[in-house]
Structure formats: structure tokens, C-alpha cells
């Protein structure tokens, strides 16, 4: 999220956090104003890589596990709720990035349990609807096992959808994000294509989850 985006959503986020967790919002106007300001700064400085939906998801799934019911919202409680999610998110990203790196000799590692990963990611996606959390290696796994076979028409439709989504997401982030996306497409065609390809893989898996669970208007 950009700083402007965070500021515009900070009050609504704090209210939602209070509703989800039971943590109270201070009554004192000065304290409340400071809370909103410091919360926005905290999100920008530490959690800017998350979007609003991810913050809400993390609070719903981690905040309710913290045994501080009834306490006033503070930055320490926010950290306790968001840090575990950030760690899991980082692990998924590392797995995704490793699939794009050149293969080289390395120490043996425990193989990824893709059926288990599939169930975990599917459950997260069905709860959040966040395509970005789907690791691209999951597509490669489903493709290799013939679980996910797409026609050329389906692949084309997914690409069109993804490129529109990337533009829409950039527009929501602000003018800077729109310019960066346009610049990437213009000056780094290979980088742009890699990003689109990975997003298409994620979207294909998301579509598979939706179809598998017979979900309409997801």
C-alpha cells in the first residue's frame, strides 16, 4: 500500500480490528488521533507490502488468538497479529521466487509436499480470495500431474484478465504505481512478461480452486 492509500484506510482498519478482536478504541480524542496517526505510520513502515484485505485476513486469523481481549488497541498487539502472517507470506514468496532462479547444485533439501501445500493454499484462497498468495510452483505441480490442463483460448482469456487486473490494482495504489507498471512494460519487456506469466499461473490455479468448489461470483 502507498502512504496515501494507508492513510485513507487507517481509520476503517482500526474499527474493523476492534470489531474482529474485541480490542477497544480509546475514548479520548487526543489519544485516538495519535493512535490513528501512529497506526498509519506503523503500517507504512513495516507492513506496506500488505494490502488492506491481507491486513484484515491476518487480524481475523491471528488477532483472535491473542489473549488480550478487552485491551485497548496498540501497536504491539498489531505486531503480534501481523508478524506471523508476514512470515508465512514470506515463505510462500521464497518458494515462488526459487522456481524462477537458475538451477544449480545445492545441498539436498526436503522435497515440497505439494498435496499438503495445495490444501493449505486452497483453504487460504477460499477464505481471502487473494490470488497473490498463490505460489506459482503450485501451477507447475498441477500442470505436471495433468490436474490442470488449459486450452489456448483459456490461457489467452486468463492473460487478458490478468493484465486488466494489474492495471486496476496499480490504479488503486495510485499514479506512481501506474507509471511504474507502464515503465516496466515499455522498458523491461522480459521483466513484464515474467510478471504477467507468474500472475497468469496464479490466476489459473485460482480459477481451478473456484471451479473445483463450484463457487459462483467469487
Amino acid at each position: 500500500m502507498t502512504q496515501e492509500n494507508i492513510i485513507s484506510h487507517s481509520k476503517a482498519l482500526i474499527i474493523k480490528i476492534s470489531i474482529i478482536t474485541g480490542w477497544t478504541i480509546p475514548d479520548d480524542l487526543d489519544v485516538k488521533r495519535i493512535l490513528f496517526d501512529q497506526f498509519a505510520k506503523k503500517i507504512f513502515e513495516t507492513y506496506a507490502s500488505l494490502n488492506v484485505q491481507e491486513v484484515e485476513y491476518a487480524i481475523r486469523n491471528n488477532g483472535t488468538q491473542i489473549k488480550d481481549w478487552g485491551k485497548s488497541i496498540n501497536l504491539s498487539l498489531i505486531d503480534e497479529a501481523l508478524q506471523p502472517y508476514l512470515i508465512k507470506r514470506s515463505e510462500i514468496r521464497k518458494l515462488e521466487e526459487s522456481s524462477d532462479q537458475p538451477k544449480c547444485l545445492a545441498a539436498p533439501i526436503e522435497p515440497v509436499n505439494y498435496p499438503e501445500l495445495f490444501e493449505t493454499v486452497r483453504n487460504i484462497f477460499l477464505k481471502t480470495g487473494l490470488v497473490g498468495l498463490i505460489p506459482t510452483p503450485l501451477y507447475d505441480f498441477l500442470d505436471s500431474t495433468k490436474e490442470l490442463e488449459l486450452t489456448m483460448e483459456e490461457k489467452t482469456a486468463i492473460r487478458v484478465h490478468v493484465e486488466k487486473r494489474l492495471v486496476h490494482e496499480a490504479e488503486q495504489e495510485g499514479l506512481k504505481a501506474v507509471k511504474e507498471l507502464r515503465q516496466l512494460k515499455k522498458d523491461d519487456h522480459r521483466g513484464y512478461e515474467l510478471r504477467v506469466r507468474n500472475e497468469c499461473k496464479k490466476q489459473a490455479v485460482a480459477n481451478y480452486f473456484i471451479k473445483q468448489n463450484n463457487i459462483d461470483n467469487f
Side-chain angles (χ1 to χ4, degrees):
M1 287 186 282
T2 63
Q3 190 167 15
E4 294 79 8
N5 192 259
I6 291 169
I7 292 173
S8 67
H9 286 91
S10 61
K11 290 185 179 180
L13 270 173
I14 287 180
I15 292 172
K16 288 181 180 180
I17 289 171
S18 176
I19 293 172
I20 293 168
T21 63
W23 304 338
T24 61
I25 299 174
D27 293 325
D28 186 278
L29 292 179
D30 289 333
V31 175
K32 190 182 297 184
R33 183 166 55 251
I34 293 172
L35 172 64
F36 289 152
D37 175 65
Q38 292 300 310
F39 173 78
K41 289 178 179 177
K42 179 67 176 178
I43 295 296
F44 179 70
E45 292 168 358
T46 310
Y47 305 106
S49 62
L50 305 181
N51 58 39
V52 174
Q53 291 79 13
E54 287 179 292
V55 172
E56 292 178 11
Y57 171 78
I59 294 295
R60 282 197 303 272
N61 286 268
N62 298 324
T64 55
Q65 307 300 317
I66 299 171
K67 298 177 181 179
D68 280 319
W69 292 85
K71 287 194 174 183
S72 295
I73 292 177
N74 59 68
L75 300 188
S76 177
L77 290 176
I78 299 299
D79 276 333
E80 286 190 56
L82 295 186
Q83 280 295 329
Y85 174 80
L86 204 61
I87 291 171
K88 288 183 179 180
R89 186 176 186 265
S90 176
E91 290 173 350
I92 291 176
R93 287 288 170 85
K94 286 179 181 178
L95 176 62
E96 177 184 325
E97 290 170 0
S98 68
S99 69
D100 294 322
Q101 298 299 318
K103 300 297 184 290
C104 59
L105 293 177
I109 59 174
E110 185 177 346
V112 176
N113 186 332
Y114 279 104
E116 182 178 321
L117 178 65
F118 174 88
E119 290 299 326
T120 299
V121 174
R122 182 179 65 175
N123 290 336
I124 292 175
F125 172 75
L126 294 178
K127 287 180 180 178
T128 67
L130 297 174
V131 178
L133 293 180
I134 299 173
T136 54
L138 197 54
Y139 170 87
D140 299 325
F141 166 71
L142 293 172
D143 181 57
S144 67
T145 57
K146 306 300 181 183
E147 286 290 325
L148 179 56
E149 295 185 292
L150 300 173
T151 64
M152 186 57 66
E153 289 78 9
E154 288 172 325
K155 290 181 178 180
T156 300
I158 288 174
R159 182 184 175 98
V160 170
H161 174 79
V162 162
E163 291 198 273
K164 287 182 179 179
R165 175 165 60 80
L166 289 176
V167 171
H168 177 69
E169 290 174 352
E171 289 174 343
Q172 286 190 316
E173 287 292 318
L175 184 59
K176 182 180 178 181
V178 173
K179 289 182 177 179
E180 288 176 350
L181 181 63
R182 290 175 179 171
Q183 200 71 27
L184 178 67
K185 187 175 183 179
K186 178 182 177 182
D187 298 338
D188 186 5
H189 182 71
R190 184 176 179 181
Y192 176 78
E193 285 299 316
L194 177 61
R195 181 177 178 184
V196 171
R197 185 190 70 185
N198 285 338
E199 290 299 325
C200 284
K201 287 184 176 183
K202 295 178 183 182
Q203 188 64 54
V205 175
N207 292 352
Y208 179 78
F209 288 152
I210 294 170
K211 183 178 180 180
Q212 189 182 51
N213 287 271
N214 298 315
I215 300 174
D216 295 321
N217 300 319
F218 192 83

